[in-house]
Amino acid sequence: MRRTKAKNFWRLQLSKMICAKCGKYFPTYAKIDGKARNFKSRKFCLECSPFGAHNTRLLTVQREYKCLMCGETDPGKFTKGRYTRCKKCRSVYRKKYVKEVAETRKNGRIRAIEYLGGKCICCGFDKGISAFDFHHVDPKDKDPNFRSSRHWSWERFKNEIDKCLLLCSNCHRLLHNSNQLQRF
């Protein structure tokens, strides 16, 4: 007996939705004009949006515009769909963020190159960090998410580059080209 009460309680709770405008509960099923109607995909109750009313844009809750950096509240100074930073502060923030991210990635790459010796193992080239590639000795051991490695922790990245050789771009291309020639 007790178990069925609990089932019925949860069945009733799951059969109710909350209106996004007024916050009242409304049923997920109802009969309208003698037909059973499903309201599971509705956001608003029948009082806020009568059945058959399709335009609900005016019912959505208006967001408050307030810049977290300068305190601006004029909606005209915000980009459409943005509520927390005005256009001016967003531009400043993005420029600063882009510089920080680029610096962090560059520092991570320098650290990885230094970890692997700082020079090409074939020819000894050691000028310019952009000229180095990480070559996986066994492609089967390569992590499938290696392309997104810039988001990894140093420990995870270090474990991955332990499976690699540090090569300059030219030696890396020659190595892959010679592998292709051997296949034919």
Side-chain angles (χ1 to χ4, degrees):
M1 176 96 181
R2 183 176 177 163
R3 191 174 183 110
T4 57
K5 281 185 182 179
K7 272 186 173 178
N8 290 338
F9 170 77
W10 286 109
R11 190 174 290 144
L12 288 173
Q13 293 301 314
L14 294 173
S15 66
K16 295 179 185 176
M17 301 284 287
I18 300 175
C19 178
K21 183 177 180 188
C22 65
K24 294 180 183 176
Y25 284 98
F26 65 93
T28 53
Y29 295 100
K31 280 194 173 187
I32 296 179
D33 299 330
K35 292 182 179 179
R37 302 289 183 168
N38 180 354
F39 299 135
K40 284 185 179 178
S41 61
R42 285 181 72 102
K43 294 179 184 174
F44 306 104
C45 65
L46 292 172
E47 293 173 16
C48 295
S49 174
F51 188 76
H54 295 288
N55 192 356
T56 57
R57 279 187 296 172
L58 301 176
L59 296 175
T60 56
V61 180
Q62 294 295 319
R63 297 280 312 258
E64 182 180 319
Y65 290 90
K66 184 165 184 180
C67 180
L68 297 174
M69 296 174 83
C70 69
E72 180 66 57
T73 56
D74 180 21
K77 294 186 178 178
F78 286 79
T79 305
K80 183 180 179 184
R82 307 288 180 172
Y83 303 98
T84 57
R85 286 198 183 87
C86 64
K87 289 178 185 176
K88 182 179 174 185
C89 293
R90 187 165 183 256
S91 174
V92 170
Y93 174 78
R94 289 187 69 193
K95 286 177 186 173
K96 180 183 172 189
Y97 176 75
V98 166
K99 284 180 183 176
E100 286 177 5
V101 168
E103 193 65 29
T104 303
R105 288 181 185 160
K106 185 178 178 182
N107 290 341
R109 184 165 174 84
I110 290 171
R111 188 175 179 187
I113 290 169
E114 288 174 357
Y115 177 75
L116 288 178
K119 61 182 181 179
C120 176
I121 62 165
C122 291
C123 66
F125 180 82
D126 62 352
K127 295 176 180 68
I129 62 164
S130 60
F132 290 110
D133 293 336
F134 299 104
H135 174 72
H136 283 82
V137 179
D138 186 8
K140 293 175 185 170
D141 289 342
K142 184 177 179 178
D143 191 318
N145 299 320
F146 186 67
R147 285 180 178 246
S148 63
S149 63
R150 64 179 170 258
H151 305 294
W152 292 357
S153 67
W154 171 245
E155 292 302 317
R156 183 176 177 193
F157 189 66
K158 191 165 74 166
N159 289 339
E160 187 63 28
I161 62 174
D162 282 336
K163 306 172 198 171
C164 298
L165 301 174
L166 184 64
L167 299 172
C168 68
S169 301
N170 289 337
C171 293
H172 193 212
R173 299 318 177 269
L174 289 170
L175 179 72
H176 279 284
N177 193 21
S178 65
N179 286 345
Q180 285 180 345
L181 292 175
Q182 289 175 359
R183 289 184 199 155
F184 292 109

